[in-house]
């Protein structure tokens, strides 16, 4: 690692994909640990909410792997960009309803959560684009 930094062989794209994959794996675990709370983040009219939470957790694991398969890397990245955009309405709904997804209660931080979450979603989109699509 020191050699890479000292001699300029550092790969920003690979490091970015490693970081994104680690984040996706950690958030995927949340889908299985905090299933009830995450299902509350979806409006009542959405069918199969618990199954959808499990499915998105599985998709995050698949995306974490897909970022390292050259044949699927760019497609995976574009699908992640779409995924991050599609997750925003659930986060907005959860903040309006004051959902605390970890506890599965309605005493979460509310709209102030969006001051953190929206920039984070933008960061994830830019991070994915720069480390996988543009590289």
């Amino acid at each position: 690692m020191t050699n890479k930094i000292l001699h300029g062989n550092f790969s920003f794209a690979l490091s970015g994909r490693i970081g994104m994959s680690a984040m996706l794996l950690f958030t995927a675990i949340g889908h299985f640990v905090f299933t009830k709370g995450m299902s509350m983040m979806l409006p009542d009219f959405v069918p199969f909410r618990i199954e959808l939470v499990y499915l998105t957790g599985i998709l995050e694991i698949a995306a974490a792997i897909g970022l390292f398969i050259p044949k699927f890397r760019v497609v995976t990245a574009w699908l992640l960009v779409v995924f991050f955009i599609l997750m925003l309405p659930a986060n907005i709904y959860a903040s309006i309803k004051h959902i605390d997804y970890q506890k599965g209660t309605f005493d979460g931080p509310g709209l102030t959560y969006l001051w953190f979450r929206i920039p984070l979603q933008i960061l994830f989109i830019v991070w994915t684009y720069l480390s996988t699509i543009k590289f």
Side-chain angles (χ1 to χ4, degrees), residues 119-132:
L120 187 63
Q121 290 296 108
I122 293 168
L123 171 67
F124 290 158
I125 291 167
V126 171
W127 180 354
T128 301
Y129 179 79
L130 290 177
S131 69
T132 308

PDB file of all heavy atoms in Angstrom, residues 119-132:
ATOM      1  N   PRO A 119     -27.936  14.998   1.013  1.00  0.00           N
ATOM      2  CA  PRO A 119     -26.525  15.108   0.576  1.00  0.00           C
ATOM      3  C   PRO A 119     -25.820  13.751   0.533  1.00  0.00           C
ATOM      4  O   PRO A 119     -24.966  13.527  -0.331  1.00  0.00           O
ATOM      5  CB  PRO A 119     -25.892  16.019   1.639  1.00  0.00           C
ATOM      6  CG  PRO A 119     -27.032  16.796   2.184  1.00  0.00           C
ATOM      7  CD  PRO A 119     -28.215  15.870   2.156  1.00  0.00           C
ATOM      8  N   LEU A 120     -26.193  12.850   1.439  1.00  0.00           N
ATOM      9  CA  LEU A 120     -25.586  11.521   1.440  1.00  0.00           C
ATOM     10  C   LEU A 120     -25.955  10.758   0.169  1.00  0.00           C
ATOM     11  O   LEU A 120     -25.093  10.117  -0.451  1.00  0.00           O
ATOM     12  CB  LEU A 120     -26.030  10.738   2.680  1.00  0.00           C
ATOM     13  CG  LEU A 120     -25.354   9.399   2.917  1.00  0.00           C
ATOM     14  CD1 LEU A 120     -23.859   9.581   3.148  1.00  0.00           C
ATOM     15  CD2 LEU A 120     -25.997   8.704   4.112  1.00  0.00           C
ATOM     16  N   GLN A 121     -27.213  10.841  -0.250  1.00  0.00           N
ATOM     17  CA  GLN A 121     -27.630  10.187  -1.497  1.00  0.00           C
ATOM     18  C   GLN A 121     -26.869  10.763  -2.691  1.00  0.00           C
ATOM     19  O   GLN A 121     -26.444  10.030  -3.573  1.00  0.00           O
ATOM     20  CB  GLN A 121     -29.137  10.356  -1.726  1.00  0.00           C
ATOM     21  CG  GLN A 121     -30.024   9.592  -0.781  1.00  0.00           C
ATOM     22  CD  GLN A 121     -29.882   8.089  -0.899  1.00  0.00           C
ATOM     23  OE1 GLN A 121     -29.317   7.464  -0.019  1.00  0.00           O
ATOM     24  NE2 GLN A 121     -30.386   7.517  -1.949  1.00  0.00           N
ATOM     25  N   ILE A 122     -26.704  12.077  -2.703  1.00  0.00           N
ATOM     26  CA  ILE A 122     -25.953  12.723  -3.794  1.00  0.00           C
ATOM     27  C   ILE A 122     -24.509  12.243  -3.776  1.00  0.00           C
ATOM     28  O   ILE A 122     -23.927  11.937  -4.827  1.00  0.00           O
ATOM     29  CB  ILE A 122     -26.054  14.258  -3.691  1.00  0.00           C
ATOM     30  CG1 ILE A 122     -27.503  14.692  -3.950  1.00  0.00           C
ATOM     31  CG2 ILE A 122     -25.095  14.941  -4.659  1.00  0.00           C
ATOM     32  CD1 ILE A 122     -27.798  16.135  -3.613  1.00  0.00           C
ATOM     33  N   LEU A 123     -23.915  12.157  -2.588  1.00  0.00           N
ATOM     34  CA  LEU A 123     -22.546  11.654  -2.458  1.00  0.00           C
ATOM     35  C   LEU A 123     -22.439  10.237  -3.010  1.00  0.00           C
ATOM     36  O   LEU A 123     -21.512   9.927  -3.772  1.00  0.00           O
ATOM     37  CB  LEU A 123     -22.094  11.672  -0.990  1.00  0.00           C
ATOM     38  CG  LEU A 123     -20.764  10.979  -0.707  1.00  0.00           C
ATOM     39  CD1 LEU A 123     -19.605  11.731  -1.354  1.00  0.00           C
ATOM     40  CD2 LEU A 123     -20.551  10.827   0.788  1.00  0.00           C
ATOM     41  N   PHE A 124     -23.390   9.363  -2.671  1.00  0.00           N
ATOM     42  CA  PHE A 124     -23.353   7.990  -3.161  1.00  0.00           C
ATOM     43  C   PHE A 124     -23.438   7.945  -4.687  1.00  0.00           C
ATOM     44  O   PHE A 124     -22.754   7.147  -5.336  1.00  0.00           O
ATOM     45  CB  PHE A 124     -24.480   7.156  -2.558  1.00  0.00           C
ATOM     46  CG  PHE A 124     -24.328   6.864  -1.091  1.00  0.00           C
ATOM     47  CD1 PHE A 124     -25.437   6.530  -0.337  1.00  0.00           C
ATOM     48  CD2 PHE A 124     -23.102   6.926  -0.455  1.00  0.00           C
ATOM     49  CE1 PHE A 124     -25.320   6.244   1.014  1.00  0.00           C
ATOM     50  CE2 PHE A 124     -22.959   6.651   0.900  1.00  0.00           C
ATOM     51  CZ  PHE A 124     -24.078   6.302   1.632  1.00  0.00           C
ATOM     52  N   ILE A 125     -24.275   8.780  -5.260  1.00  0.00           N
ATOM     53  CA  ILE A 125     -24.426   8.819  -6.721  1.00  0.00           C
ATOM     54  C   ILE A 125     -23.124   9.284  -7.385  1.00  0.00           C
ATOM     55  O   ILE A 125     -22.630   8.656  -8.322  1.00  0.00           O
ATOM     56  CB  ILE A 125     -25.619   9.710  -7.124  1.00  0.00           C
ATOM     57  CG1 ILE A 125     -26.926   9.034  -6.692  1.00  0.00           C
ATOM     58  CG2 ILE A 125     -25.606  10.012  -8.620  1.00  0.00           C
ATOM     59  CD1 ILE A 125     -28.144   9.937  -6.750  1.00  0.00           C
ATOM     60  N   VAL A 126     -22.569  10.383  -6.886  1.00  0.00           N
ATOM     61  CA  VAL A 126     -21.319  10.915  -7.455  1.00  0.00           C
ATOM     62  C   VAL A 126     -20.180   9.918  -7.257  1.00  0.00           C
ATOM     63  O   VAL A 126     -19.388   9.672  -8.165  1.00  0.00           O
ATOM     64  CB  VAL A 126     -20.986  12.289  -6.834  1.00  0.00           C
ATOM     65  CG1 VAL A 126     -19.600  12.764  -7.232  1.00  0.00           C
ATOM     66  CG2 VAL A 126     -22.039  13.318  -7.226  1.00  0.00           C
ATOM     67  N   TRP A 127     -20.094   9.337  -6.083  1.00  0.00           N
ATOM     68  CA  TRP A 127     -19.068   8.350  -5.744  1.00  0.00           C
ATOM     69  C   TRP A 127     -19.137   7.160  -6.705  1.00  0.00           C
ATOM     70  O   TRP A 127     -18.120   6.721  -7.253  1.00  0.00           O
ATOM     71  CB  TRP A 127     -19.305   7.928  -4.320  1.00  0.00           C
ATOM     72  CG  TRP A 127     -18.402   6.922  -3.683  1.00  0.00           C
ATOM     73  CD1 TRP A 127     -17.394   6.199  -4.251  1.00  0.00           C
ATOM     74  CD2 TRP A 127     -18.452   6.524  -2.316  1.00  0.00           C
ATOM     75  NE1 TRP A 127     -16.827   5.367  -3.318  1.00  0.00           N
ATOM     76  CE2 TRP A 127     -17.454   5.552  -2.117  1.00  0.00           C
ATOM     77  CE3 TRP A 127     -19.256   6.877  -1.238  1.00  0.00           C
ATOM     78  CZ2 TRP A 127     -17.241   4.948  -0.888  1.00  0.00           C
ATOM     79  CZ3 TRP A 127     -19.024   6.278  -0.020  1.00  0.00           C
ATOM     80  CH2 TRP A 127     -18.026   5.333   0.142  1.00  0.00           C
ATOM     81  N   THR A 128     -20.334   6.655  -6.927  1.00  0.00           N
ATOM     82  CA  THR A 128     -20.508   5.526  -7.845  1.00  0.00           C
ATOM     83  C   THR A 128     -20.117   5.924  -9.259  1.00  0.00           C
ATOM     84  O   THR A 128     -19.412   5.177  -9.958  1.00  0.00           O
ATOM     85  CB  THR A 128     -21.965   5.039  -7.807  1.00  0.00           C
ATOM     86  OG1 THR A 128     -22.282   4.637  -6.468  1.00  0.00           O
ATOM     87  CG2 THR A 128     -22.197   3.872  -8.743  1.00  0.00           C
ATOM     88  N   TYR A 129     -20.562   7.088  -9.683  1.00  0.00           N
ATOM     89  CA  TYR A 129     -20.246   7.554 -11.034  1.00  0.00           C
ATOM     90  C   TYR A 129     -18.735   7.705 -11.235  1.00  0.00           C
ATOM     91  O   TYR A 129     -18.181   7.194 -12.212  1.00  0.00           O
ATOM     92  CB  TYR A 129     -20.965   8.879 -11.313  1.00  0.00           C
ATOM     93  CG  TYR A 129     -20.660   9.413 -12.673  1.00  0.00           C
ATOM     94  CD1 TYR A 129     -21.289   8.894 -13.814  1.00  0.00           C
ATOM     95  CD2 TYR A 129     -19.711  10.407 -12.863  1.00  0.00           C
ATOM     96  CE1 TYR A 129     -20.986   9.371 -15.079  1.00  0.00           C
ATOM     97  CE2 TYR A 129     -19.407  10.896 -14.122  1.00  0.00           C
ATOM     98  CZ  TYR A 129     -20.042  10.364 -15.225  1.00  0.00           C
ATOM     99  OH  TYR A 129     -19.730  10.835 -16.480  1.00  0.00           O
ATOM    100  N   LEU A 130     -18.084   8.391 -10.311  1.00  0.00           N
ATOM    101  CA  LEU A 130     -16.661   8.673 -10.485  1.00  0.00           C
ATOM    102  C   LEU A 130     -15.782   7.432 -10.353  1.00  0.00           C
ATOM    103  O   LEU A 130     -14.781   7.301 -11.047  1.00  0.00           O
ATOM    104  CB  LEU A 130     -16.207   9.719  -9.461  1.00  0.00           C
ATOM    105  CG  LEU A 130     -16.732  11.123  -9.688  1.00  0.00           C
ATOM    106  CD1 LEU A 130     -16.259  12.056  -8.568  1.00  0.00           C
ATOM    107  CD2 LEU A 130     -16.331  11.675 -11.054  1.00  0.00           C
ATOM    108  N   SER A 131     -16.161   6.496  -9.491  1.00  0.00           N
ATOM    109  CA  SER A 131     -15.304   5.336  -9.272  1.00  0.00           C
ATOM    110  C   SER A 131     -15.581   4.180 -10.225  1.00  0.00           C
ATOM    111  O   SER A 131     -14.755   3.263 -10.319  1.00  0.00           O
ATOM    112  CB  SER A 131     -15.419   4.847  -7.822  1.00  0.00           C
ATOM    113  OG  SER A 131     -16.691   4.292  -7.587  1.00  0.00           O
ATOM    114  N   THR A 132     -16.701   4.227 -10.917  1.00  0.00           N
ATOM    115  CA  THR A 132     -17.034   3.067 -11.742  1.00  0.00           C
ATOM    116  C   THR A 132     -17.391   3.431 -13.181  1.00  0.00           C
ATOM    117  O   THR A 132     -16.945   2.780 -14.105  1.00  0.00           O
ATOM    118  CB  THR A 132     -18.220   2.286 -11.106  1.00  0.00           C
ATOM    119  OG1 THR A 132     -17.901   2.020  -9.749  1.00  0.00           O
ATOM    120  CG2 THR A 132     -18.449   0.990 -11.825  1.00  0.00           C
TER     121      THR A 132
END
